[in-house]
Amino acid sequence: MSPLNRRSALAALAGAAAASPLLPGPGTAVARAATDTAATASATVGATSATAVDVARQGSSLLVSANDPAWFPEHAAGALTATPVAATASAPALLEVTDGRGWLATLTHGAKTVTVRGPRRWLTEQKKPFTDTFARTPASGWGASPGGGTWSTHNGADADYRVEDGRGVIELTAANASRHAFLSSDRDIADLNATAVFGFDRAPSGAAASLALSFAYDDMDNHYRARLNVTAAGAVQLLLEKEEADAVTVLGAAQQVGTGFTASDRWRVRVEKEGSALRTRAWRDGTAEPSSWQHSVTDPTFTQGRVGVRALASSGSTALPLKALVSEFAVESAYWADPPVVSHETWVRVLPEPFDGGWTNAMEQRIRAWAADTSPDALAYGAMFLPGGATVRSSVLDGVQVLGEAGYGPLKADGTRREGADFHEYMGVEWTFPNGERRPYAGLQWEGNLDCSGLVRMVYGHHMGLPLVYERDHDGVNLPRLSRDQAASGPGVVVARATAAAPSLAGLRIGDLVCFDATDDDTDDTTDEDGVVDHVGIYVGEDQHGNPRFLSSRKTPNGPTIGDLGGPSTLNGTGLYARTLRLIRRF
C-alpha cells in the first residue's frame, strides 16, 4: 500500500521551474532561483484504499504517492511515435506522442503548452476557515460573509434581519416564532469546529430567549443546534438539541453556565462535530475557554449540512421586540462530506516558442526529458494558491511571497470583495513589464490576493514564463491583464468558442484556459455586460465523479478554488459556469 505524503508542491516536486523573463522594477531582469523554499508536512494516508475524503483530509491541496515507483521516473520507454491529428471543428491540430507504455505527450499547433505523462498526483481542496464579524453595510439582510457564502433567512419579515453596529441582528417581534439565518450555499459541511458570539439588546422578561449555533443544517426543521438559553431570571444555560422533521430531541439537557445576564453580556458558543460525535460548550466572551465540554454525545442522524443561527423568544416573552445579536460567527476548521478530488498522470509544461508542427530531434529530447521531470508544472503552481498552500518566498525578489494560499481581494463596505489583484499585487511590489508598462505598489490591502485573471497570470506568466503585458501589446503572444483580453487575444490558439451556449468540450485538455460570460457577483464583471468574458480559470481534469473541474479565483470563497462554494467549479451540468462557458484557449 503506497502512502500519500502531504507536502507543498515545491517540496514534493524536485527542483524549480525555468527562469522567467519578467521584470520586478525598471530594467532589472529576473531569473527565479531554485533557492525558493517551502515548508513540508508529514501526514500519510493509504493510497490504494483511500477515499476522496481521506485524500482531501490530508490538509494540502496537492498530494503525491511517495512510494509509487513513478516518482522515480525513467526517460520515455523505447522509441517514440509522433502522430499528427488534423484540426476539427472542436479541436486544433495536434501531435500525439506515444512510447512503449502508451500516451506520452500532446503538442498543439500554435500553442506553447504541452501535456506530458508523469507520476500520478491528487489535486483537492477542503473548506477554507472564515470569520464573520459583520463589519459591513449590506443593502438588506446579513449580506455576504467574508469567505463563508451568502446569508439567507427563514421566517419573519425581511426587515427582521439586518446588520448594524458590527453585529448581525435578528429582531424577535413575536413569541414562540423561530427565526433562522444560515449560510445557504455550502450544504456539504460534515465535520467542523465552529464558534459564535451571542447576546441580546436587553435581558429577556416574561420567559426565556435563546440563540443557537445550528450545524448539519438541512432546513429549519432538520438540524442540530447548540442553544444558549437566557431565562427571565438572568440564568444562562446551554442545551444541545436535534430537530428532526419538526420534532425536537434534547441530546444534552440545560446546563447552567452563568447568571445575572445583562444587555452588555456576550457569550461564546463552540460546537464540534466529528462523525457522529457532537460536542459543545459556552463561556462568557473575553474569559478563558473551558477545557472540558459541557455536552458530549453521539448521534448519527445528520451527517452533513450548512451552518447558521437560530433565534427564539419563548412563549410568554414580554420584552418584545427583542434584538438577538450575533457579534461573530466563525468556522475555524471544517471538512466537506464530498470534497473535489482530481487525480491523473498529466503534467502541463510550456515550450519556449509555439509548436510549429515539426517533430525534430530537439523536440523529441525535450519530451523525453519532461517525461522524467518532476519539477513544478502549471498545475503544481496553481495548487499552491488553494487553501492550505504553504508560503514560499523568493530569494531573488528580496524575500517577497510568490506562492501560498491566496485571497481574492479587499472587502468593500457592503462586504463583497474588490477585484483588481494581479500577480505583483499578491507579492506586494511594483512591476515594470518588458514593454515598459509600469504598475505601482498597490498597498498592503492587496497583498496575498489574486483575482481570476491575476491567478492565471501568476501561474502561466510569473511562474511558467509566458510574457506578460498590461494594457498594451495584446498581440496573441503576450498574456494580457483582463479576463476578456486573455480570451480574445491571449497567446496560443482557440480550442472552441460559442456565443449563446457553451461550446463542445471534445477538444478540452488539462491546462487549458476556460473563459466565461457569467455576469454574476462572483466574477470580475464590473459592467454586468452580456457577451463579454468576465471570468477565467484553468482546467485541471475530471474529479472522482467524472465532472470536468477548473481552478479559478472567486469572490464568494475568497480566493482560488476548485470547489463549489458560490457555484460548481465544473464544466458539465446546469451550474452557472457550465452554462456560461464561452471560449477555451490553449496557451
Side-chain angles (χ1 to χ4, degrees):
M1 182 181 296
S2 243
L4 292 177
N5 277 350
R6 177 181 67 183
R7 40 181 126 169
S8 69
L10 289 189
L13 309 177
S20 167
L22 307 180
L23 303 179
T28 305
V30 176
R32 283 180 20 271
T35 55
D36 292 346
T37 60
T40 62
S42 59
T44 61
V45 65
T48 56
S49 61
T51 66
V53 173
D54 294 327
V55 170
R57 289 196 176 198
Q58 294 307 294
S60 180
S61 56
L62 185 69
L63 297 100
V64 302
S65 184
N67 290 346
D68 185 345
W71 276 95
F72 306 91
E74 298 177 353
H75 287 264
L80 304 190
T81 300
T83 305
V85 179
T88 67
S90 58
L94 307 174
L95 188 72
E96 297 282 12
V97 182
T98 59
D99 67 357
R101 290 179 51 198
W103 174 81
L104 181 64
T106 299
L107 299 95
T108 303
H109 289 233
K112 291 183 178 180
T113 54
V114 180
T115 50
V116 183
R117 186 187 70 219
R120 178 170 292 275
R121 297 174 294 179
W122 287 259
L123 179 65
T124 186
E125 181 181 350
Q126 268 296 357
K127 183 165 181 62
K128 192 174 186 177
F130 71 92
T131 299
D132 192 346
T133 58
F134 300 93
R136 56 182 176 272
T137 53
S140 61
W142 283 12
S145 70
T150 300
W151 287 99
S152 297
T153 61
H154 195 92
N155 278 358
D158 290 346
D160 293 341
Y161 302 87
R162 58 188 179 275
V163 174
E164 58 183 35
D165 301 325
R167 298 171 300 188
V169 176
I170 302 176
E171 187 154 6
L172 300 173
T173 57
N176 200 33
S178 63
R179 302 286 185 265
H180 300 261
F182 56 95
L183 291 165
S184 57
S185 57
D186 202 351
R187 60 173 62 244
D188 193 41
I189 301 172
D191 294 357
L192 83 161
N193 190 316
T195 68
V197 178
F198 293 149
F200 295 96
D201 69 330
R202 52 186 167 143
S205 64
S210 62
L211 270 162
L213 198 167
S214 306
F215 57 107
Y217 180 98
D218 184 49
D219 56 40
M220 60 179 289
D221 297 327
N222 294 276
H223 60 272
Y224 296 117
R225 57 179 177 251
R227 183 160 68 93
L228 190 78
N229 191 60
V230 181
T231 71
V236 182
Q237 305 167 332
L238 181 66
L239 301 87
L240 180 58
E241 298 173 332
K242 173 178 66 175
E243 185 160 352
E244 182 180 11
D246 200 25
V248 177
T249 301
V250 176
L251 302 176
Q255 185 173 141
Q256 186 164 306
V257 293
T259 59
F261 180 87
T262 67
S264 62
D265 286 353
R266 297 294 177 264
W267 284 81
R268 187 175 290 271
V269 174
R270 180 181 298 280
V271 299
E272 186 177 278
K273 181 180 182 299
E274 186 177 4
S276 60
L278 313 175
R279 296 178 279 268
T280 185
R281 56 183 170 231
W283 66 101
R284 193 184 299 271
D285 193 37
T287 64
E289 180 173 356
S291 59
S292 59
W293 299 101
Q294 287 141 1
H295 296 297
S296 181
V297 304
T298 299
D299 187 273
T301 306
F302 304 121
T303 58
Q304 66 202 69
R306 295 166 288 198
V307 291
V309 173
R310 182 238 200 200
L312 177 72
S314 299
S315 295
S317 294
T318 57
L320 300 179
L322 178 68
K323 290 181 181 179
L325 308 174
V326 183
S327 303
E328 180 181 296
F329 189 96
V331 173
E332 297 182 1
S333 63
Y335 293 111
W336 286 316
D338 188 26
V341 177
V342 175
S343 178
H344 51 67
E345 298 178 345
T346 300
W347 294 55
V348 181
R349 301 294 183 184
V350 175
L351 293 166
E353 299 295 335
F355 180 55
D356 62 6
W359 182 242
T360 64
N361 181 65
M363 185 64 73
E364 177 176 347
Q365 296 311 309
R366 182 183 294 274
I367 297 300
R368 286 184 179 276
W370 274 341
D373 185 358
T374 55
S375 65
D377 70 332
L379 299 189
Y381 283 121
M384 288 293 288
F385 299 102
L386 288 167
T391 296
V392 178
R393 299 187 180 277
S394 171
S395 59
V396 173
L397 296 178
D398 297 325
V400 303
Q401 183 173 335
V402 293
L403 290 167
E405 179 179 316
Y408 181 89
L411 288 169
K412 301 185 212 177
D414 66 357
T416 59
R417 298 278 171 184
R418 296 173 62 188
E419 62 277 336
D422 201 1
F423 71 98
H424 57 90
E425 270 112 11
Y426 172 94
M427 294 188 288
V429 296
E430 66 176 23
W431 202 267
T432 298
F433 295 91
N435 67 354
E437 292 180 291
R438 184 169 180 174
R439 300 299 299 171
Y441 171 62
L444 182 63
Q445 73 271 26
W446 293 96
E447 292 185 23
N449 293 307
L450 291 166
D451 65 18
C452 69
S453 54
L455 173 64
V456 171
R457 282 159 63 83
M458 176 65 93
V459 171
Y460 272 114
H462 181 70
H463 287 295
M464 297 301 292
L466 292 182
L468 291 164
V469 294
Y470 202 78
E471 295 177 328
R472 305 197 316 260
D473 302 322
H474 300 171
D475 55 6
V477 175
N478 301 311
L479 183 54
R481 170 66 182 99
L482 299 180
S483 300
R484 64 173 182 262
D485 297 326
Q486 291 180 3
S489 53
V493 297
V494 172
V495 174
R497 74 169 82 227
T499 53
S504 169
L505 303 181
L508 182 67
R509 294 274 177 166
I510 292 168
D512 285 351
L513 183 77
V514 285
C515 309
F516 308 88
D517 176 20
T519 313
D520 181 81
D521 290 341
D522 212 36
T523 69
D524 294 340
D525 188 2
T526 57
T527 62
D528 284 340
E529 183 179 354
D530 285 329
V532 176
V533 166
D534 52 37
H535 191 66
V536 291
I538 300 169
Y539 175 57
V540 296
E542 291 188 354
D543 66 16
Q544 69 270 36
H545 302 298
N547 301 311
R549 285 201 173 263
F550 66 95
L551 165 71
S552 71
S553 188
R554 307 214 299 262
K555 295 177 184 177
T556 297
N558 185 26
T561 183
I562 61 170
D564 297 335
L565 182 59
S569 297
T570 55
L571 302 177
N572 60 342
T574 59
L576 172 67
Y577 297 103
R579 299 193 317 270
T580 60
L581 178 67
R582 292 295 178 264
L583 185 139
I584 301 169
R585 176 175 288 281
R586 187 163 304 150
F587 288 144

